[in-house]
Amino acid sequence: MGRPRPATVGGIETELVPAPDRASAEDADDAESDGRGPGRGIRRFVGGFLGLFLLGGLIGVEAWPLTGWKMYARLRHGDFWGWQVRAVGTDGSERSVDLRHAPAAYHGVTHFLSDFEGLPATERQSVCLALGPVARAQHQTVAAVAIDHVLGRIPVDPGGPPSPSTRRVRVHQCELE
């Protein structure tokens, strides 16, 4: 900007100040000096984020905070396929291992098991053996751990015990030492 120049306008002595150039006006807008709202940089960021958010929904990306909303879009029926960890006793009896009462590190196991059938045999064995301490903590005479794919009913009370399965497919079983 230039220096003010004295001038007489309509008989009044004033100082003429040159208008700011276009780049200076944009800088002032970014600095929010006039209190009209967020600057151009903030508007660009929010617009870009919303664009990514909508694009994630359109192409089905499931990476937080972008989501394809699949959790809300799937139709839920009374029956579902899920996973169950079973403790096999030394006498051959089987009891369910309740992962809700396991340490926090085991709480997401059923989500990890969604790809369990596609894992190589060595990884299946590792996962199965890692569930051994949880099974032993809940049942004293555990000789093996079994991982079953089960067909069950969606419980009415989420805090209640799971309903008995109507179909069970044994996917893997490992003997504990």
Side-chain angles (χ1 to χ4, degrees):
M1 279 209 290
R3 300 178 74 149
R5 294 183 314 226
T8 305
V9 178
I12 302 173
E13 188 75 26
T14 65
E15 291 183 3
L16 297 178
V17 179
D21 62 353
R22 179 135 173 86
S24 297
E26 289 174 1
D27 291 341
D29 186 37
D30 283 342
E32 301 181 46
S33 62
D34 58 1
R36 290 185 302 152
R40 186 171 47 173
I42 293 172
R43 289 191 303 265
R44 282 184 177 174
F45 172 78
V46 170
F49 179 78
L50 291 176
L52 283 174
F53 189 73
L54 291 173
L55 182 65
L58 290 174
I59 63 175
V61 172
E62 292 294 333
W64 188 89
L66 308 175
T67 179
W69 304 100
K70 289 180 183 177
M71 178 176 20
Y72 306 107
R74 290 189 192 142
L75 181 61
R76 305 233 188 326
H77 299 287
D79 294 331
F80 73 98
W81 279 97
W83 294 92
Q84 190 175 46
V85 179
R86 309 276 294 173
V88 181
T90 53
D91 60 352
S93 64
E94 292 187 12
R95 289 168 283 190
S96 179
V97 176
D98 192 353
L99 295 173
R100 294 176 299 170
H101 300 296
Y106 292 93
H107 288 183
V109 168
T110 53
H111 297 293
F112 171 72
L113 291 176
S114 63
D115 296 329
F116 187 72
E117 289 174 304
L119 292 176
T122 55
E123 288 185 39
R124 281 192 204 180
Q125 183 71 6
S126 296
V127 170
C128 188
L129 291 173
L131 292 168
V134 177
R136 282 210 168 120
Q138 293 180 18
H139 309 288
Q140 286 73 24
T141 58
V142 177
V145 172
I147 300 174
D148 295 344
H149 205 188
V150 296
L151 179 65
R153 301 280 304 158
I154 295 176
V156 177
D157 178 22
S163 61
S165 59
T166 56
R167 187 168 170 213
R168 177 180 306 280
V169 177
R170 178 73 30 103
V171 177
H172 191 80
Q173 182 170 331
C174 60
E175 304 295 321
L176 300 177
E177 297 154 6

